[in-house]
């Protein structure tokens, strides 16, 4: 008898490699403007925004730089900065 | 205790779903399928059926809901027709690839353009390669009985593939016939309690299902679907035999043959035209021709071995197709010829594409097609024409 097979995988942290390397624009949070509404944290498709006691922190090892957080921020507190430098 | 009721094909399907104790039903209305889900909602509303009816905004979502619910290990059901089935197409592949034993009633209706609500087989024939088992019914009784059997076939650990129970719109869906409804106790006893044999989602141990695979793993997973389909032939034979014994029916599992014992000519068809073919067979037998009928009940997996056995005895096949592959030929015509290819003495195969958009096929037309086929002696081994 043949055993039918399906694909099942256990999700793990960063299993796809350090996807932050893909980034061209980097989101930078202006803490003075941020009111901690958590919209960016909810919208981030990669789960690359972390809640810390000091406020929201972007994990640049995995942030692909899509810019959704910057687009969603109602306070305009997240700027997209070119990775090539000033 | 079995009860006899006058039921349309759609209502027979609804009774079968109730008897099978499906727990999650998700469907979107479309003619000529709608009476199925109307009746099921009525059963649930009256408290006669314990199930969750999930209203959705489309057929794509209806089948997606069934995929989700089946992944959690419950028995599911959906029903559709024509354009609705086409809209499900992407999720049809997903359901079979994830090995989920979903059962669907597929009420055949011609595909637009132009609009038509009457039947042919092109809607479900176009889903041939999606990895679904396809049954085609010939009567309202057969619809009820096949849906109950389809759950057991799909859920068998040797199979684990979804089933589409197809029957023609109006010709069966809205035509009332006397139908024997088995008692709930008898069906419960026959089916046993549902214990899913596929990996069931456990939210306390989260896994990603059917995520990206390597080419090698993907190939193995796909070839396992082919194995499941091959296994399904014998599982269908087992389930049909058990069903016949338990409920006193006389189904032949894959192909319903009629007066084929000494037949030199076999007329192959599928669905409700099968009854007209039997009429033509009786007529031709009266004229002294040795003709038999073979109605394909299971189109996927295709009963190649049964056709080969018939092909060892008969010298001519007449195939009536209600589904066509444009640019090639009638689909059943191709499959019958392919099945007979390995025989040492190949029978002549004549095709008739007929009954599109609900066009009536009369027994006299079939009878004259058989006589035409016999006149072909010494000419082409295969020939096909449209009956317009």
């Amino acid at each position: 008898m043949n055993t039918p097979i399906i694909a099942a995988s256990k999700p793990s942290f960063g299993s796809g490699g350090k996807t932050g390397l893909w980034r061209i624009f980097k989101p930078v949070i202006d803490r003075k403007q941020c009111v901690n509404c958590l919209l960016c944290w909810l919208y981030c498709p990669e789960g690359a925004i972390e809640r810390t006691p000091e406020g929201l922190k972007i994990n640049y090892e995995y942030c692909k730089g899509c810019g959704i957080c910057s687009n969603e921020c109602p306070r305009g507190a997240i700027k997209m900065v070119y990775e090539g430098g000033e | 205790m079995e009860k006899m009721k006058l039921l349309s094909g759609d209502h027979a399907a609804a009774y079968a779903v109730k008897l099978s104790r499906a727990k999650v039903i998700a469907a979107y209305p479309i003619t000529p399928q709608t009476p199925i889900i109307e009746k099921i909602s009525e059963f649930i509303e009256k408290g006669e059926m314990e199930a969750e009816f999930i209203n959705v905004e489309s057929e794509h979502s209806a089948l997606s809901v069934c995929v989700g619910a089946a992944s959690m290990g419950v028995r599911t059901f959906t029903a559709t027709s024509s354009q609705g089935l086409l809209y499900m197409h992407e999720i049809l592949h997903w359901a079979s690839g994830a090995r989920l034993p979903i059962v669907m009633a597929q009420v055949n209706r011609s595909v637009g353009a132009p609009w038509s609500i009457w039947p042919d087989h092109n809607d479900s024939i176009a889903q041939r390669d999606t990895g679904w088992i396809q049954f085609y019914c010939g009567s309202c009784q057969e619809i009820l009985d096949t849906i109950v059997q389809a759950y057991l076939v799909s859920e068998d650990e040797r199979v684990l593939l979804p089933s589409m129970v197809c029957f023609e719109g109006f010709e069966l869906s809205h035509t009332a016939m006397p139908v024997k409804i088995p008692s709930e106790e008898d069906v419960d006893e026959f089916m046993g309690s549902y214990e899913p044999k596929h990996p069931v989602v456990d939210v306390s141990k989260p896994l990603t299902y059917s995520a990206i695979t390597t080419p090698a793993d993907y190939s193995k997973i796909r070839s396992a679907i082919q194995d499941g389909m091959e296994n399904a032939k014998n599982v269908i034979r087992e389930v049909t035999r058990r069903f016949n014994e338990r409920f006193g029916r006389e189904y032949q599992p894959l192909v319903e043959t009629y007066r084929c014992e000494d037949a030199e000519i076999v007329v192959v068809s599928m669905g409700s035209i099968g009854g007209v073919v039997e009429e033509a067979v009786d007529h031709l037998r009266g004229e002294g021709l040795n003709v038999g009928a073979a109605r394909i009940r299971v189109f996927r997996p295709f009963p190649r071995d049964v056709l080969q056995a018939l092909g060892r005895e008969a010298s001519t096949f007449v195939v009536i197709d209600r589904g066509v592959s444009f640019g090639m030929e009638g689909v059943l015509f191709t499959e019958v010829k392919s099945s007979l290819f390995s025989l040492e003495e190949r029978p002549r195969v004549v095709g008739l594409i007929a009954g599109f958009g609900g066009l009536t096929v009369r027994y006299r037309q079939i009878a004259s097609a058989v006589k035409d086929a016999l006149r072909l002696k010494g000419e082409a081994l295969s020939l096909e024409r449209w009956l317009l």
Side-chain angles (χ1 to χ4, degrees):
Chain A
M1 197 187 78
N2 297 293
T3 312
I5 47 171
I6 63 152
S9 48
K10 207 172 168 182
S12 60
F13 194 78
S15 59
K18 295 207 169 160
T19 48
L21 292 170
W22 303 4
R23 201 171 51 238
I24 296 168
F25 289 94
K26 169 183 179 170
V28 178
I29 303 176
D30 179 353
R31 288 199 191 283
K32 276 180 227 135
Q33 301 239 41
C34 173
V35 292
N36 218 37
C37 71
L38 301 181
L39 274 179
C40 61
W41 174 77
L42 275 172
Y43 272 97
C44 175
E46 298 299 325
I49 301 178
E50 291 158 26
R51 295 169 75 181
T52 72
E54 295 83 46
L56 292 166
K57 215 175 118 187
I58 292 167
N59 184 335
Y60 292 113
E61 284 196 335
Y62 298 106
C63 164
K64 293 172 178 168
C66 68
I68 289 173
C69 54
S70 169
N71 193 55
E72 292 300 330
C73 179
R75 303 268 301 168
I78 307 176
K79 294 272 171 301
M80 297 304 288
V81 181
Y82 185 51
E83 282 282 7
E86 305 300 309
Chain B
M1 262 290 285
E2 198 172 69
K3 263 194 314 194
M4 179 81 94
K5 251 189 161 163
L6 195 62
L7 290 182
S8 68
D10 276 355
H11 284 181
Y15 272 95
V17 177
K18 179 172 170 248
L19 286 168
S20 305
R21 300 200 184 277
K23 286 281 173 274
V24 172
I25 286 95
Y28 190 83
I30 183 168
T31 300
Q33 167 280 121
T34 310
I36 303 177
I37 56 168
E38 281 174 348
K39 194 72 187 166
I40 292 175
S41 331
E42 192 187 308
F43 287 146
I44 296 173
E45 197 58 32
K46 283 184 177 166
E48 291 172 20
M49 183 177 168
E50 209 182 305
E52 191 77 32
F53 193 109
I54 301 179
N55 285 308
V56 286
E57 80 291 1
S58 75
E59 288 84 357
H60 189 279
S61 300
L63 190 53
S64 298
V65 164
C66 290
V67 163
S71 305
M72 296 300 292
V74 295
R75 201 169 263 166
T76 58
F77 177 79
T78 188
T80 195
S81 290
S82 188
Q83 320 290 131
L85 180 67
L86 306 186
Y87 195 22
M88 279 182 182
H89 180 75
E90 179 195 356
I91 312 301
L92 291 176
H93 286 276
W94 197 271
S96 58
R99 310 305 292 267
L100 300 169
I102 298 163
V103 171
M104 176 201 303
Q106 202 314 102
V107 186
N108 288 105
R109 163 181 159 180
S110 305
V111 170
W115 285 121
S116 166
I117 55 168
W118 297 289
D120 60 51
H121 287 150
N122 245 63
D123 53 350
S124 52
I125 289 288
Q127 315 308 318
R128 180 189 67 175
D129 303 333
T130 55
W132 282 60
I133 295 166
Q134 286 196 347
F135 295 92
Y136 286 81
C137 302
S139 71
C140 296
Q141 182 71 60
E142 196 176 337
I143 294 167
L144 187 145
D145 295 343
T146 305
I147 289 175
V148 172
Q149 293 172 45
Y151 278 106
L152 295 186
V153 172
S154 283
E155 290 162 2
D156 192 286
E157 61 187 333
R158 294 162 289 179
V159 179
L160 286 178
L161 287 168
S163 283
M164 210 178 272
V165 178
C166 307
F167 51 96
E168 281 115 328
F170 301 103
E171 289 168 6
L172 288 170
S173 72
H174 287 63
T175 303
M177 301 179 191
V179 174
K180 291 177 201 150
I181 309 174
S183 73
E184 287 189 352
E185 298 71 42
D186 285 353
V187 177
D188 284 347
E189 200 188 295
F190 176 72
M191 293 182 92
S193 61
Y194 176 40
E195 279 154 34
K197 300 290 192 309
H198 59 87
V200 169
V201 171
D202 178 353
V203 286
S204 66
K205 290 181 201 135
L207 289 175
T208 305
Y209 289 87
S210 302
I212 194 159
T213 45
T214 63
D217 285 342
Y218 185 86
S219 302
K220 280 183 209 155
I221 289 168
R222 298 317 271 188
S223 83
I225 294 177
Q226 180 80 324
D227 295 340
M229 272 288 180
E230 281 303 318
N231 295 343
K233 287 183 198 170
N234 280 334
V235 174
I236 291 168
R237 286 186 171 104
E238 283 172 31
V239 171
T240 311
R241 193 175 54 236
R242 277 186 51 219
F243 191 92
N244 285 348
E245 280 167 15
R246 186 69 186 75
F247 298 101
R249 311 269 200 270
E250 289 175 338
Y251 293 111
Q252 296 173 54
L254 301 166
V255 181
E256 198 74 43
T257 55
Y258 177 75
R259 303 184 81 168
C260 275
E261 300 73 35
D262 59 340
E264 288 161 31
I265 310 143
V266 174
V267 185
V268 183
S269 68
M270 215 156 68
S272 62
I273 287 182
V276 187
V277 173
E278 288 183 7
E279 195 72 31
V281 164
D282 290 343
H283 189 77
L284 291 163
R285 286 264 175 187
E287 293 182 17
L289 291 170
N290 284 346
V291 188
R295 180 168 61 83
I296 308 289
R297 289 191 60 215
V298 181
F299 180 67
R300 278 291 176 277
F302 196 75
R304 195 185 285 173
D305 51 338
V306 181
L307 281 152
Q308 283 167 354
L310 290 168
R312 281 189 201 98
E313 307 300 325
S315 59
T316 304
F317 281 72
V318 175
V319 181
I320 300 170
D321 248 298
R322 246 185 161 177
V324 65
S325 173
F326 297 112
M328 185 60 181
E329 57 195 7
V331 175
L332 195 53
F333 185 53
T334 306
E335 312 232 339
V336 169
K337 284 190 294 174
S338 158
S339 301
L340 302 175
F341 183 77
S342 61
L343 296 183
E344 261 174 48
E345 275 181 63
R346 280 182 214 144
R348 181 192 311 281
V349 187
V350 175
L352 198 64
I353 303 176
F356 271 66
L359 188 67
T360 304
V361 180
R362 298 176 198 284
Y363 80 89
R364 283 180 198 284
Q365 292 172 303
I366 296 167
S368 70
V370 169
K371 287 178 189 164
D372 287 349
L374 289 175
R375 265 181 237 120
L376 277 175
K377 278 199 165 57
E379 291 173 36
L381 201 58
S382 89
L383 196 79
E384 192 185 37
R385 68 177 171 95
W386 282 76
L387 191 67
L388 298 172

